[in-house]
Amino acid sequence: MFLPIIATTIFAALALQILGYNVLGTLESHLMEIDGSHTQSTYASSTTSELDALHIQMAQKQLTIESLHGQVSLLNQELSQSKLDVVSEMSKISSLQAKINQLQSNNASWSKQAAIYSNMSSQQAVAILMQLPTREQVFVVKAMSASDQASTLAAMPPKQAAILLQDGA
């Protein structure tokens, strides 16, 4: 009597499985519910503790990421400031280069003037030099040879010669 019922049940399960119903999966899940309720609770508690540990690790990693983002932000600010400093220094260098070029040009001009004044008598050179600003007088006298400097300074009024010597001539 049980044999025809079992055979019919197996035949019906195979027919439903062939038609696309998941009879074996459903049967297996029902058997797991009945048989594995104790193992599931153990599995669930171990999964929960593992999940908590993963949450803690994730929170620690998130803090590390936020810390690194802060460091990157600070480094970006330092980089921006460094770029501004470089631009400022390049501007200063350009300005100093322009001053150097101007001084070289002036030095060439003062050397030319010194050569002209050296070819004049000391009295004539002093008469013209006295018309220039003191700063220019210093540079022209500096560009002269030592003997021409001596004769030119000797021909100047003593106060003016002292001022030129004091200013570096």
Side-chain angles (χ1 to χ4, degrees), residues 28-47:
E28 182 180 352
S29 68
H30 286 296
L31 287 175
M32 289 293 237
E33 286 177 12
I34 294 169
D35 195 35
S37 62
H38 180 268
T39 57
Q40 277 185 341
S41 65
T42 305
Y43 178 74
S45 66
S46 68
T47 303

Side-chain angles (χ1 to χ4, degrees), residues 9-164:
T9 305
I10 292 174
F11 178 71
L14 286 175
L16 288 172
Q17 188 72 31
I18 291 172
L19 291 174
Y21 291 102
N22 189 5
V23 176
L24 292 177
T26 307
L27 181 63
E28 182 180 352
S29 68
H30 286 296
L31 287 175
M32 289 293 237
E33 286 177 12
I34 294 169
D35 195 35
S37 62
H38 180 268
T39 57
Q40 277 185 341
S41 65
T42 305
Y43 178 74
S45 66
S46 68
T47 303
T48 304
S49 64
E50 289 175 5
L51 188 60
D52 289 342
L54 288 175
H55 280 298
I56 291 170
Q57 285 179 350
M58 188 173 76
Q60 290 172 341
K61 299 295 182 187
Q62 188 65 31
L63 288 175
T64 303
I65 289 170
E66 289 173 7
S67 171
L68 290 174
H69 280 297
Q71 290 176 359
V72 167
S73 177
L74 287 175
L75 290 173
N76 281 336
Q77 288 175 351
E78 287 178 16
L79 179 64
S80 295
Q81 184 60 43
S82 294
K83 285 180 179 179
L84 290 174
D85 291 345
V86 166
V87 168
S88 173
E89 292 300 318
M90 292 300 287
S91 174
K92 287 178 185 177
I93 288 171
S94 295
S95 174
L96 290 173
Q97 186 63 42
K99 285 181 181 180
I100 288 171
N101 291 340
Q102 181 64 37
L103 288 174
Q104 286 174 342
S105 173
N106 289 345
N107 195 20
S109 172
W110 292 318
S111 293
K112 237 188 234 184
Q113 287 180 24
I116 292 170
Y117 293 131
S118 294
N119 288 327
M120 296 179 183
S121 70
S122 297
Q123 294 299 329
Q124 291 173 331
V126 168
I128 297 170
L129 274 173
M130 294 300 288
Q131 303 302 314
L132 298 175
T134 304
R135 183 173 176 257
E136 289 185 30
Q137 290 176 20
V138 170
F139 289 123
V140 170
V141 171
K142 267 185 172 179
M144 292 178 173
S145 67
S147 61
D148 289 336
Q149 284 178 352
S151 64
T152 302
L153 289 173
M156 282 186 173
K159 268 191 166 185
Q160 186 62 28
I163 290 172
L164 292 181

